[in-house]
Amino acid sequence: MIGKLVGFPTVSRDSNLALIDYVRELLAKMNAEVRLTFDDDRRKANLFATIGPRGDGGLVLSGHTDVVPVQGQAWDSDPFTILEKDGRLYGRGTSDMKSFIAIALALLPQYASQLKRPLHVAFSYDEEVGCIGVGRLIEDLARAGVRPSGCIVGEPTLMAPVIAHKGKKSYRCSVRGLAAHSAYAPRAVNAVEAAAEAVAFLKTMARRHRDGGPFDHGFDVPHTTVHTGVLHGGTALNIVPHDATFDFEFRHLPGDDPEALLAEFKACLARLEPEMHAIDARTGFDLIELSHIPALDVSAETQIVALVQELTGNQETGKVSYGTEASQFQRAGIPTVVCGPGSIEQAHKPNEYIDLAQVAECENMLRKLLERMTRSM
Ligand SMILES: [Zn+2]
Protein backbone atom coordinates (compact mmCIF):
# COMPACT_ATOMS: atom_id res chain seq x y z
CA MET A 1 0.00 0.00 0.00
CA ILE A 2 2.89 2.37 0.73
CA GLY A 3 4.22 1.64 -2.77
CA LYS A 4 0.81 2.25 -4.29
CA LEU A 5 0.39 5.68 -2.61
CA VAL A 6 3.97 6.79 -3.29
CA GLY A 7 3.25 5.97 -6.95
CA PHE A 8 0.83 8.90 -7.16
CA PRO A 9 3.09 11.95 -7.70
CA THR A 10 1.02 14.24 -5.49
CA VAL A 11 3.44 17.17 -5.34
CA SER A 12 1.59 20.07 -3.71
CA ARG A 13 1.26 22.15 -6.87
CA ASP A 14 -0.27 19.22 -8.81
CA SER A 15 -3.63 17.50 -8.54
CA ASN A 16 -4.14 14.78 -5.92
CA LEU A 17 -7.42 13.56 -7.39
CA ALA A 18 -6.06 10.26 -8.77
CA LEU A 19 -4.93 9.29 -5.28
CA ILE A 20 -8.20 10.47 -3.74
CA ASP A 21 -10.22 8.42 -6.27
CA TYR A 22 -8.15 5.33 -5.50
CA VAL A 23 -8.64 5.74 -1.73
CA ARG A 24 -12.32 6.44 -2.20
CA GLU A 25 -12.78 3.13 -4.03
CA LEU A 26 -11.00 1.26 -1.26
CA LEU A 27 -13.23 2.89 1.33
CA ALA A 28 -16.39 2.19 -0.67
CA LYS A 29 -15.72 -1.53 -0.19
CA MET A 30 -15.82 -0.92 3.56
CA ASN A 31 -19.20 0.87 3.38
CA ALA A 32 -17.54 4.09 4.43
CA GLU A 33 -19.36 7.40 4.32
CA VAL A 34 -17.08 9.68 2.34
CA ARG A 35 -17.03 13.49 2.29
CA LEU A 36 -14.88 15.43 -0.17
CA THR A 37 -13.98 19.11 -0.02
CA PHE A 38 -12.19 20.76 -2.92
CA ASP A 39 -9.83 23.64 -3.60
CA ASP A 40 -11.12 26.57 -5.68
CA ASP A 41 -10.11 24.95 -9.01
CA ARG A 42 -11.41 21.50 -8.01
CA ARG A 43 -7.97 20.07 -8.85
CA LYS A 44 -7.33 18.92 -5.31
CA ALA A 45 -9.52 17.39 -2.65
CA ASN A 46 -9.59 16.55 1.02
CA LEU A 47 -11.17 13.23 1.87
CA PHE A 48 -12.94 12.59 5.15
CA ALA A 49 -14.53 9.18 5.70
CA THR A 50 -16.32 7.41 8.50
CA ILE A 51 -15.96 3.65 8.80
CA GLY A 52 -18.04 1.61 11.21
CA PRO A 53 -21.02 2.97 13.13
CA ARG A 54 -22.07 6.57 12.36
CA GLY A 55 -22.75 9.11 15.06
CA ASP A 56 -20.85 11.22 17.53
CA GLY A 57 -17.41 10.47 18.83
CA GLY A 58 -14.87 8.16 17.34
CA LEU A 59 -11.30 8.71 16.41
CA VAL A 60 -9.72 10.44 13.40
CA LEU A 61 -6.57 9.16 11.71
CA SER A 62 -5.23 12.14 9.84
CA GLY A 63 -2.56 12.76 7.24
CA HIS A 64 -1.74 14.92 4.24
CA THR A 65 -1.65 13.46 0.74
CA ASP A 66 0.71 16.04 -0.78
CA VAL A 67 4.47 15.80 -0.92
CA VAL A 68 7.26 18.31 -1.55
CA PRO A 69 8.87 18.56 -5.02
CA VAL A 70 11.86 16.48 -6.13
CA GLN A 71 13.24 18.96 -8.70
CA GLY A 72 16.86 19.86 -8.17
CA GLN A 73 17.40 16.95 -5.77
CA ALA A 74 19.87 14.19 -6.57
CA TRP A 75 17.85 10.97 -6.15
CA ASP A 76 19.53 7.59 -6.65
CA SER A 77 16.22 6.00 -7.65
CA ASP A 78 12.85 7.08 -9.06
CA PRO A 79 11.24 9.05 -6.21
CA PHE A 80 7.76 7.84 -7.18
CA THR A 81 8.62 4.14 -7.35
CA ILE A 82 9.14 2.52 -3.99
CA LEU A 83 12.51 0.82 -3.54
CA GLU A 84 13.15 -1.64 -0.71
CA LYS A 85 16.81 -1.81 0.30
CA ASP A 86 18.70 -2.56 3.51
CA GLY A 87 15.61 -2.55 5.72
CA ARG A 88 14.32 0.71 4.32
CA LEU A 89 11.69 1.86 1.84
CA TYR A 90 12.89 4.70 -0.38
CA GLY A 91 10.54 7.12 -2.14
CA ARG A 92 9.05 10.60 -1.90
CA GLY A 93 6.52 10.67 0.91
CA THR A 94 7.66 7.45 2.61
CA SER A 95 8.36 9.32 5.87
CA ASP A 96 6.35 12.51 5.21
CA MET A 97 3.76 11.02 5.31
CA LYS A 98 2.17 8.44 3.09
CA SER A 99 3.25 5.45 5.16
CA PHE A 100 0.90 6.33 8.01
CA ILE A 101 -2.04 6.69 5.62
CA ALA A 102 -1.09 3.51 3.79
CA ILE A 103 -0.80 1.42 6.94
CA ALA A 104 -4.23 2.59 8.10
CA LEU A 105 -5.77 1.80 4.71
CA ALA A 106 -4.12 -1.61 4.59
CA LEU A 107 -5.39 -2.62 8.04
CA LEU A 108 -8.91 -1.21 7.90
CA PRO A 109 -10.57 -3.90 5.73
CA GLN A 110 -9.91 -6.54 8.42
CA TYR A 111 -11.70 -4.52 11.10
CA ALA A 112 -14.23 -2.31 9.27
CA SER A 113 -17.27 -4.54 9.72
CA GLN A 114 -16.63 -5.15 13.43
CA LEU A 115 -16.05 -1.60 14.67
CA LYS A 116 -18.16 -0.60 17.67
CA ARG A 117 -17.28 3.11 17.39
CA PRO A 118 -16.79 5.37 14.36
CA LEU A 119 -13.30 5.40 12.91
CA HIS A 120 -12.63 8.39 10.68
CA VAL A 121 -9.84 9.09 8.23
CA ALA A 122 -8.95 12.64 7.18
CA PHE A 123 -6.63 13.01 4.20
CA SER A 124 -5.80 16.56 3.17
CA TYR A 125 -4.21 18.47 0.28
CA ASP A 126 -1.79 21.45 0.40
CA GLU A 127 -0.31 20.75 3.82
CA GLU A 128 3.23 21.32 2.56
CA VAL A 129 2.43 24.84 1.40
CA GLY A 130 1.23 26.08 4.80
CA CYS A 131 -1.49 23.71 6.08
CA ILE A 132 -3.95 25.33 3.67
CA GLY A 133 -6.24 22.48 2.61
CA VAL A 134 -7.34 20.95 5.90
CA GLY A 135 -9.23 24.10 6.95
CA ARG A 136 -12.00 23.29 4.47
CA LEU A 137 -12.27 19.72 5.72
CA ILE A 138 -12.62 20.93 9.31
CA GLU A 139 -15.22 23.58 8.35
CA ASP A 140 -17.19 20.91 6.50
CA LEU A 141 -17.22 18.68 9.60
CA ALA A 142 -18.49 21.55 11.72
CA ARG A 143 -21.28 22.28 9.20
CA ALA A 144 -22.24 18.61 9.03
CA GLY A 145 -22.19 18.26 12.83
CA VAL A 146 -19.54 15.51 12.78
CA ARG A 147 -17.86 15.60 16.21
CA PRO A 148 -14.99 13.15 16.61
CA SER A 149 -13.65 12.78 20.14
CA GLY A 150 -9.98 12.58 19.24
CA CYS A 151 -7.46 12.75 16.41
CA ILE A 152 -4.05 11.25 15.69
CA VAL A 153 -2.00 13.12 13.08
CA GLY A 154 0.54 10.67 11.69
CA GLU A 155 3.39 13.06 10.88
CA PRO A 156 6.82 11.45 11.34
CA THR A 157 7.69 11.47 15.06
CA LEU A 158 9.46 8.08 15.22
CA MET A 159 6.19 6.89 16.83
CA ALA A 160 6.62 9.17 19.85
CA PRO A 161 3.51 10.96 21.14
CA VAL A 162 3.99 14.67 20.38
CA ILE A 163 1.81 17.09 22.33
CA ALA A 164 3.12 20.47 21.23
CA HIS A 165 4.51 22.20 18.20
CA LYS A 166 5.41 25.76 17.40
CA GLY A 167 3.12 28.11 15.52
CA LYS A 168 4.26 29.89 12.40
CA LYS A 169 3.26 33.13 10.73
CA SER A 170 5.00 34.31 7.59
CA TYR A 171 4.81 37.62 5.76
CA ARG A 172 6.00 39.49 2.69
CA CYS A 173 6.99 43.11 3.18
CA SER A 174 7.27 45.35 0.10
CA VAL A 175 8.94 48.73 0.25
CA ARG A 176 7.76 51.60 -1.95
CA GLY A 177 10.71 53.94 -2.48
CA LEU A 178 11.39 56.80 -4.88
CA ALA A 179 13.99 56.42 -7.63
CA ALA A 180 16.64 58.95 -8.60
CA HIS A 181 20.20 59.23 -9.94
CA SER A 182 22.34 58.13 -7.01
CA ALA A 183 24.14 61.51 -7.05
CA TYR A 184 20.83 62.91 -5.80
CA ALA A 185 20.26 60.21 -3.18
CA PRO A 186 19.10 62.62 -0.45
CA ARG A 187 16.18 63.68 -2.67
CA ALA A 188 14.99 60.10 -3.19
CA VAL A 189 13.77 57.27 -0.97
CA ASN A 190 16.07 54.26 -0.97
CA ALA A 191 13.88 51.14 -0.74
CA VAL A 192 16.85 48.80 -0.18
CA GLU A 193 18.04 50.81 2.81
CA ALA A 194 14.54 50.98 4.28
CA ALA A 195 14.22 47.20 3.85
CA ALA A 196 17.63 46.71 5.46
CA GLU A 197 16.61 48.77 8.51
CA ALA A 198 13.41 46.75 8.87
CA VAL A 199 15.28 43.43 8.49
CA ALA A 200 17.87 44.60 11.02
CA PHE A 201 15.01 45.29 13.46
CA LEU A 202 13.72 41.73 12.94
CA LYS A 203 17.21 40.52 13.82
CA THR A 204 17.12 42.48 17.10
CA MET A 205 13.83 40.72 17.89
CA ALA A 206 15.45 37.36 17.08
CA ARG A 207 18.40 38.09 19.38
CA ARG A 208 16.15 39.18 22.23
CA HIS A 209 14.22 35.89 22.10
CA ARG A 210 17.44 33.89 21.75
CA ASP A 211 19.07 35.55 24.75
CA GLY A 212 16.13 36.34 27.00
CA GLY A 213 13.45 33.79 26.13
CA PRO A 214 10.81 32.93 27.12
CA PHE A 215 12.23 29.40 26.96
CA ASP A 216 10.60 26.00 26.74
CA HIS A 217 13.34 23.40 26.81
CA GLY A 218 10.96 20.72 25.57
CA PHE A 219 11.67 22.12 22.08
CA ASP A 220 15.04 21.53 20.43
CA VAL A 221 15.08 25.25 19.58
CA PRO A 222 13.72 26.35 22.96
CA HIS A 223 12.54 29.87 22.08
CA THR A 224 10.55 31.80 19.49
CA THR A 225 12.54 32.45 16.32
CA VAL A 226 12.41 35.37 13.88
CA HIS A 227 13.92 34.75 10.45
CA THR A 228 14.20 36.59 7.13
CA GLY A 229 14.60 34.17 4.24
CA VAL A 230 14.36 36.24 1.04
CA LEU A 231 15.42 39.80 0.21
CA HIS A 232 15.29 41.45 -3.22
CA GLY A 233 15.89 45.03 -4.28
CA GLY A 234 17.70 47.43 -6.55
CA THR A 235 18.96 47.23 -10.13
CA ALA A 236 22.19 49.26 -10.41
CA LEU A 237 24.54 51.03 -8.04
CA ASN A 238 23.95 54.44 -9.62
CA ILE A 239 20.16 54.26 -9.21
CA VAL A 240 18.43 54.88 -5.88
CA PRO A 241 16.25 51.75 -5.74
CA HIS A 242 12.52 52.37 -5.80
CA ASP A 243 11.46 48.95 -4.57
CA ALA A 244 12.55 46.10 -2.36
CA THR A 245 10.77 43.09 -0.87
CA PHE A 246 11.60 40.62 1.86
CA ASP A 247 9.91 37.52 3.32
CA PHE A 248 10.13 36.74 7.01
CA GLU A 249 8.57 34.44 9.56
CA PHE A 250 7.90 34.06 13.24
CA ARG A 251 8.00 30.50 14.62
CA HIS A 252 6.62 30.97 18.07
CA LEU A 253 6.31 28.94 21.25
CA PRO A 254 2.70 28.08 22.09
CA GLY A 255 2.79 30.70 24.88
CA ASP A 256 4.06 33.55 22.69
CA ASP A 257 1.54 35.70 20.83
CA PRO A 258 2.39 36.10 17.13
CA GLU A 259 0.12 39.16 16.91
CA ALA A 260 2.25 40.90 19.54
CA LEU A 261 5.37 40.08 17.50
CA LEU A 262 3.73 41.51 14.40
CA ALA A 263 2.61 44.63 16.28
CA GLU A 264 6.19 45.19 17.41
CA PHE A 265 7.41 44.96 13.81
CA LYS A 266 4.65 47.28 12.56
CA ALA A 267 5.67 49.84 15.19
CA CYS A 268 9.18 49.71 13.75
CA LEU A 269 7.81 50.41 10.26
CA ALA A 270 5.79 53.31 11.64
CA ARG A 271 8.99 54.79 13.06
CA LEU A 272 10.78 54.47 9.70
CA GLU A 273 8.02 55.93 7.54
CA PRO A 274 8.04 59.64 8.55
CA GLU A 275 11.55 60.13 7.14
CA MET A 276 10.41 58.49 3.87
CA HIS A 277 7.18 60.52 3.75
CA ALA A 278 9.14 63.74 4.22
CA ILE A 279 10.57 63.11 0.73
CA ASP A 280 7.44 61.61 -0.86
CA ALA A 281 4.10 60.75 0.71
CA ARG A 282 3.57 57.78 -1.64
CA THR A 283 6.49 55.84 -0.20
CA GLY A 284 6.24 53.33 2.63
CA PHE A 285 5.78 49.66 3.52
CA ASP A 286 3.12 47.11 2.52
CA LEU A 287 2.73 43.91 4.49
CA ILE A 288 0.85 40.76 3.49
CA GLU A 289 0.45 37.51 5.40
CA LEU A 290 1.74 34.46 3.49
CA SER A 291 0.78 31.67 5.86
CA HIS A 292 -0.45 30.96 9.34
CA ILE A 293 -0.16 27.73 11.34
CA PRO A 294 -1.32 27.97 14.96
CA ALA A 295 0.79 26.41 17.70
CA LEU A 296 -0.23 23.12 19.30
CA ASP A 297 -0.18 22.73 23.05
CA VAL A 298 -2.09 19.75 24.43
CA SER A 299 -2.04 18.80 28.09
CA ALA A 300 -0.17 15.54 28.71
CA GLU A 301 -3.20 14.55 30.82
CA THR A 302 -5.57 14.46 27.83
CA GLN A 303 -7.32 11.16 27.08
CA ILE A 304 -6.04 11.02 23.50
CA VAL A 305 -2.45 11.38 24.77
CA ALA A 306 -2.97 8.60 27.30
CA LEU A 307 -4.43 6.40 24.56
CA VAL A 308 -1.45 6.91 22.24
CA GLN A 309 0.98 6.36 25.12
CA GLU A 310 -0.75 3.10 25.88
CA LEU A 311 -0.86 1.99 22.24
CA THR A 312 2.79 2.80 21.57
CA GLY A 313 4.07 1.78 25.01
CA ASN A 314 5.91 5.11 25.02
CA GLN A 315 5.20 7.17 28.15
CA GLU A 316 7.35 10.11 27.05
CA THR A 317 5.75 13.08 25.34
CA GLY A 318 7.62 15.26 22.87
CA LYS A 319 7.50 18.75 21.43
CA VAL A 320 8.58 19.58 17.88
CA SER A 321 9.65 22.78 16.13
CA TYR A 322 7.83 22.11 12.84
CA GLY A 323 4.15 22.89 12.28
CA THR A 324 1.42 20.34 11.53
CA GLU A 325 -2.32 20.20 10.93
CA ALA A 326 -2.82 19.04 14.52
CA SER A 327 -3.32 22.56 15.84
CA GLN A 328 -6.23 23.15 13.45
CA PHE A 329 -8.04 19.99 14.65
CA GLN A 330 -7.29 20.95 18.25
CA ARG A 331 -8.69 24.46 17.69
CA ALA A 332 -11.85 22.95 16.24
CA GLY A 333 -12.40 21.24 19.58
CA ILE A 334 -11.03 17.81 18.62
CA PRO A 335 -8.33 16.72 21.09
CA THR A 336 -5.30 15.89 18.94
CA VAL A 337 -1.89 14.34 19.27
CA VAL A 338 0.86 13.86 16.67
CA CYS A 339 2.34 10.37 16.34
CA GLY A 340 3.56 8.66 13.21
CA PRO A 341 6.26 6.48 11.69
CA GLY A 342 9.52 7.74 10.23
CA SER A 343 11.71 10.69 11.04
CA ILE A 344 11.36 14.35 10.07
CA GLU A 345 15.13 14.17 9.46
CA GLN A 346 14.41 12.23 6.26
CA ALA A 347 11.55 14.47 5.13
CA HIS A 348 11.90 16.85 2.18
CA LYS A 349 15.31 15.41 1.23
CA PRO A 350 16.58 13.39 -1.74
CA ASN A 351 16.47 9.63 -1.10
CA GLU A 352 13.71 10.08 1.49
CA TYR A 353 13.15 6.75 3.25
CA ILE A 354 11.40 5.05 6.11
CA ASP A 355 12.84 2.22 8.19
CA LEU A 356 10.78 -0.97 7.93
CA ALA A 357 11.03 -1.16 11.74
CA GLN A 358 9.06 2.10 11.88
CA VAL A 359 6.45 0.68 9.54
CA ALA A 360 6.12 -2.34 11.82
CA GLU A 361 5.76 -0.14 14.92
CA CYS A 362 3.03 1.90 13.30
CA GLU A 363 1.25 -1.23 12.12
CA ASN A 364 1.42 -2.56 15.65
CA MET A 365 -0.07 0.63 17.12
CA LEU A 366 -2.91 0.87 14.61
CA ARG A 367 -3.70 -2.83 14.96
CA LYS A 368 -4.03 -2.43 18.73
CA LEU A 369 -6.21 0.62 18.23
CA LEU A 370 -8.54 -1.09 15.75
CA GLU A 371 -8.78 -4.20 17.90
CA ARG A 372 -9.82 -2.03 20.86
CA MET A 373 -12.46 -0.38 18.72
CA THR A 374 -14.00 -3.73 17.85
CA ARG A 375 -14.65 -4.33 21.55
CA SER A 376 -17.32 -2.31 23.34
CA MET A 377 -15.69 0.47 25.30
ZN1 LIG B 1 4.21 16.23 6.65
Side-chain angles (χ1 to χ4, degrees):
M1 187 63 80
I2 295 172
K4 185 74 198 171
L5 297 189
V6 168
F8 293 99
T10 48
V11 176
S12 306
R13 66 168 170 272
D14 298 324
S15 172
N16 72 342
L17 292 180
L19 182 151
I20 292 291
D21 280 344
Y22 171 74
V23 171
R24 196 183 184 178
E25 270 174 39
L26 286 178
L27 292 166
K29 292 180 196 140
M30 299 177 229
N31 291 318
E33 186 177 310
V34 177
R35 310 180 67 83
L36 297 183
T37 41
F38 292 87
D39 74 334
D40 287 342
D41 307 329
R42 292 185 79 86
R43 286 174 59 242
K44 303 173 197 172
N46 298 306
L47 181 151
F48 182 88
T50 303
I51 301 114
R54 313 300 193 245
D56 270 352
L59 205 71
V60 185
L61 301 178
S62 161
H64 59 84
T65 62
D66 59 322
V67 294
V68 295
V70 296
Q71 268 80 23
Q73 295 189 337
W75 281 74
D76 297 329
S77 62
D78 175 4
F80 300 107
T81 304
I82 203 104
L83 173 72
E84 184 178 343
K85 203 176 134 196
D86 305 329
R88 293 168 173 177
L89 295 176
Y90 287 87
R92 172 56 88 225
T94 46
S95 66
D96 186 13
M97 57 169 290
K98 286 176 168 171
S99 293
F100 179 79
I101 295 177
I103 295 163
L105 286 173
L107 290 177
L108 271 168
Q110 301 165 46
Y111 298 93
S113 63
Q114 307 158 51
L115 292 170
K116 298 278 196 298
R117 286 200 298 156
L119 189 281
H120 315 279
V121 292
F123 300 151
S124 66
Y125 66 87
D126 276 358
E127 190 274 349
E128 294 289 6
V129 288
C131 294
I132 289 169
V134 77
R136 291 189 179 188
L137 182 153
I138 291 171
E139 282 164 26
D140 177 60
L141 295 188
R143 267 196 305 273
V146 180
R147 280 184 294 272
S149 55
C151 174
I152 301 172
V153 174
E155 288 279 356
T157 67
L158 290 169
M159 296 306 296
V162 162
I163 57 168
H165 66 65
K166 285 184 177 176
K168 174 187 166 187
K169 279 204 142 198
S170 65
Y171 301 90
R172 174 160 299 153
C173 185
S174 308
V175 189
R176 282 172 277 115
L178 181 70
H181 189 298
S182 61
Y184 296 91
R187 298 180 195 168
V189 177
N190 187 317
V192 165
E193 291 174 1
E197 289 194 280
V199 170
F201 181 80
L202 289 170
K203 183 66 183 176
T204 65
M205 292 176 71
R207 286 198 188 97
R208 194 182 75 229
H209 284 273
R210 180 195 66 194
D211 298 337
F215 297 107
D216 180 340
H217 291 282
F219 290 94
D220 52 358
V221 178
H223 52 82
T224 291
T225 57
V226 182
H227 155 85
T228 305
V230 179
L231 171 61
H232 296 296
T235 50
L237 182 57
N238 60 1
I239 302 172
V240 177
H242 78 279
D243 54 22
T245 59
F246 57 97
D247 295 352
F248 65 97
E249 64 177 26
F250 304 123
R251 288 185 183 260
H252 64 90
L253 294 177
D256 277 354
D257 177 10
E259 298 309 323
L261 297 169
L262 181 65
E264 193 183 337
F265 178 66
K266 280 183 173 170
C268 160
L269 300 184
R271 286 192 298 277
L272 294 172
E273 276 183 334
E275 192 185 357
M276 300 161 77
H277 290 168
I279 306 283
D280 190 303
R282 292 167 297 178
T283 61
F285 297 91
D286 298 308
L287 204 53
I288 55 165
E289 184 180 303
L290 297 178
S291 70
H292 172 208
I293 303 171
L296 176 74
D297 192 13
V298 183
S299 159
E301 312 303 315
T302 315
Q303 231 185 331
I304 184 75
V305 178
L307 174 68
V308 170
Q309 284 175 322
E310 191 195 321
L311 294 171
T312 57
N314 186 346
Q315 296 308 309
E316 307 287 313
T317 52
K319 300 181 176 189
V320 293
S321 293
Y322 57 89
T324 79
E325 297 172 336
S327 51
Q328 281 155 282
F329 284 102
Q330 179 74 21
R331 284 196 158 198
I334 305 168
T336 300
V337 63
V338 187
C339 181
S343 165
I344 198 72
E345 291 288 313
Q346 273 91 54
H348 299 200
K349 291 182 181 170
N351 301 325
E352 177 179 347
Y353 68 84
I354 190 164
D355 282 321
L356 283 169
Q358 283 290 306
V359 175
E361 264 192 58
C362 180
E363 189 177 331
N364 192 23
M365 174 185 87
L366 291 180
R367 214 179 258 293
K368 277 192 202 161
L369 173 70
L370 292 167
E371 263 161 22
R372 270 178 80 124
M373 292 180 73
T374 62
R375 300 194 294 266
S376 46
M377 41 198 292

